[in-house]
Amino acid sequence: MMKRATMATFSQKRSCSYRIRSISLPTRSHPSTLRIEEELQKLESWEASSSSSSSKVEKICFGLRGLAELYKFVEELLKLSLTQQALAHHQNEKWVDELLDYPVRFLDILGETRDAIMLMKGNVRELQSALRRRKVGDIVIETHISSYWSLRRNTIKGCTKSLLLLKQIDGSFGASSPSLDLNHHLSAVVRVLREASLITSLIFQSLVAFLSPPIFKWRLNKWAFVSKLMRKGALQCNNQQENINELEKVDLALCRMVMDNTIKDFEAEKIQSAHRELEALVVVIEGIENGLDCLFKHLINTRVSFLNILSPWG
């Protein structure tokens, strides 16, 4: 049983949010449905992993890989003639439209997120190139740093929008309910598809939150900035910065460069530190990018499978 509040909500919605008869899956459920249940159980451990030593980005990448595997089995479930006939029979009901709508919303959010991180990776590469050619204090470097933070601000705006959309999905979850006369197979299909949508929303929320931490406001007051870093746990011995993610570590490295650009003694060290954090960020971005690419393909296939079921009768 999940101990954290988020997964408690997940468990409650699994059992209470839709008014079909209770189905602890029947013994003769199709293997595809059972495999989806198994993948959902694996993803339930995703939230529990927050108390482990895994980093936030490892947790997110695990979630994205798990979702890709989950939707692979969803595709198989939707291709079954038993599933197709049952859904087609209920094609004009609102809860069917709801099931069809979720993959579309997730595809929109996924596409925008993927575009944002691709832009960020390109911007980081340009900044790395500028650092290799220049010294701290050069106007070219400061221009690239300003460009990076401008992109960060745009990313935060986009992520805020995506988070609101995800909250709307959560709010509308199970708004329409199937009738009580569904057969065992279709009841199981509705259940696992709705649970898949819910865990997808949770993982996406974690991703957009990771990509949009506030930018350090170092320009306003140097000592207030240092105080904020101390509260975040960013200024620790042995470079242990456990309370900030890779984006914030880049912010910190760049701020150190700009704040003390008149001190030349540590110039090489500051550039090297910024290089390390930027390279670590690229690795993170590429890991997330790979997970999103794989998930995107399976969400597209899920959407197409739905349309193939309903379009002949539409």
Side-chain angles (χ1 to χ4, degrees):
M1 179 178 295
M2 299 295 100
K3 295 182 180 180
R4 293 180 62 86
T6 342
M7 291 312 295
T9 302
F10 179 44
S11 299
Q12 291 168 5
K13 287 187 178 182
R14 289 183 65 175
S15 59
C16 304
S17 63
Y18 26 89
R19 290 168 285 181
I20 57 177
R21 59 189 172 193
S22 176
I23 57 169
S24 61
L25 291 179
T27 54
R28 295 185 180 181
S29 290
H30 193 278
S32 292
T33 307
L34 296 177
R35 282 196 292 267
I36 292 175
E37 274 289 312
E38 291 173 1
E39 293 302 319
L40 285 167
Q41 290 171 6
K42 291 177 185 178
L43 284 170
E44 286 182 1
S45 68
W46 169 82
E47 180 65 22
S49 70
S50 62
S51 60
S52 73
S53 59
S54 300
S55 70
K56 290 181 181 179
V57 69
E58 288 173 341
K59 178 183 169 185
I60 290 169
C61 289
F62 170 83
L64 293 175
R65 290 193 299 269
L67 286 179
E69 192 70 12
L70 172 67
Y71 280 99
K72 181 175 72 174
F73 292 124
V74 168
E75 293 171 43
E76 294 181 5
L77 180 64
L78 293 176
K79 289 177 181 177
L80 295 175
S81 58
L82 185 62
T83 304
Q84 294 176 358
Q85 292 170 7
L87 284 174
H89 180 72
H90 294 273
Q91 60 166 320
N92 294 320
E93 299 187 33
K94 288 184 178 180
W95 59 267
V96 177
D97 292 336
E98 179 187 81
L99 293 178
L100 180 62
D101 187 50
Y102 287 138
V104 178
R105 296 196 195 186
F106 291 138
L107 279 169
D108 289 341
I109 294 171
L110 189 156
E112 291 178 3
T113 304
R114 188 172 61 167
D115 290 344
I117 64 173
M118 289 176 65
L119 284 173
M120 183 178 294
K121 183 170 72 171
N123 191 283
V124 167
R125 289 300 194 195
E126 291 177 2
L127 182 52
Q128 286 179 303
S129 179
L131 287 176
R132 281 192 292 267
R133 297 192 306 267
R134 304 288 180 176
K135 297 181 179 180
V136 173
D138 285 349
I139 190 169
V140 173
I141 287 182
E142 294 207 11
T143 298
H144 280 281
I145 291 175
S146 296
S147 176
Y148 170 77
W149 275 325
S150 176
L151 181 61
R152 282 269 280 115
R153 285 190 291 270
N154 289 335
T155 302
I156 290 172
K157 291 179 182 178
C159 287
T160 300
K161 178 183 175 183
S162 294
L163 189 58
L164 289 174
L165 291 174
L166 289 166
K167 294 293 186 182
Q168 289 176 5
I169 291 175
D170 286 353
S172 65
F173 188 86
S176 57
S177 300
S179 56
L180 297 175
D181 61 348
L182 300 185
N183 61 46
H184 284 301
H185 178 72
L186 188 53
S187 294
V189 169
V190 173
R191 177 188 175 187
V192 296
L193 289 180
R194 285 183 162 179
E195 289 181 5
S197 296
L198 179 56
I199 193 63
T200 302
S201 177
L202 289 176
I203 292 175
F204 276 21
Q205 288 178 46
S206 180
L207 171 59
V208 298
F210 176 85
L211 292 173
S212 56
I215 301 172
F216 291 131
K217 302 296 185 181
W218 63 273
R219 289 184 183 273
L220 298 180
N221 183 294
K222 176 177 178 179
W223 299 114
F225 168 71
V226 172
S227 176
K228 180 177 180 180
L229 294 181
M230 292 179 70
R231 290 196 301 272
K232 288 282 291 184
L235 299 179
Q236 298 182 13
C237 297
N238 302 321
N239 294 321
Q240 293 179 353
Q241 302 166 351
E242 297 178 356
N243 295 329
I244 64 176
N245 70 22
E246 285 76 4
L247 284 160
E248 292 171 305
K249 289 177 182 179
V250 168
D251 284 352
L252 176 57
L254 297 179
C255 285
R256 282 170 172 164
M257 288 175 55
V258 180
M259 286 175 63
D260 298 321
N261 59 22
T262 58
I263 302 174
K264 301 299 181 182
D265 294 344
F266 302 104
E267 182 176 285
E269 179 183 336
K270 288 184 288 186
I271 291 177
Q272 186 178 19
S273 175
H275 268 301
R276 283 196 304 269
E277 302 301 352
L278 287 166
E279 190 57 40
L281 179 57
V282 169
V283 172
V284 166
I285 289 173
E286 289 179 344
I288 294 174
E289 189 177 19
N290 290 337
L292 290 176
D293 286 344
C294 187
L295 177 57
F296 186 82
K297 177 183 69 174
H298 289 297
L299 276 174
I300 285 286
N301 291 342
T302 296
R303 166 70 171 163
V304 170
S305 296
F306 265 121
L307 291 176
N308 286 341
I309 293 171
L310 301 178
S311 58
W313 292 269

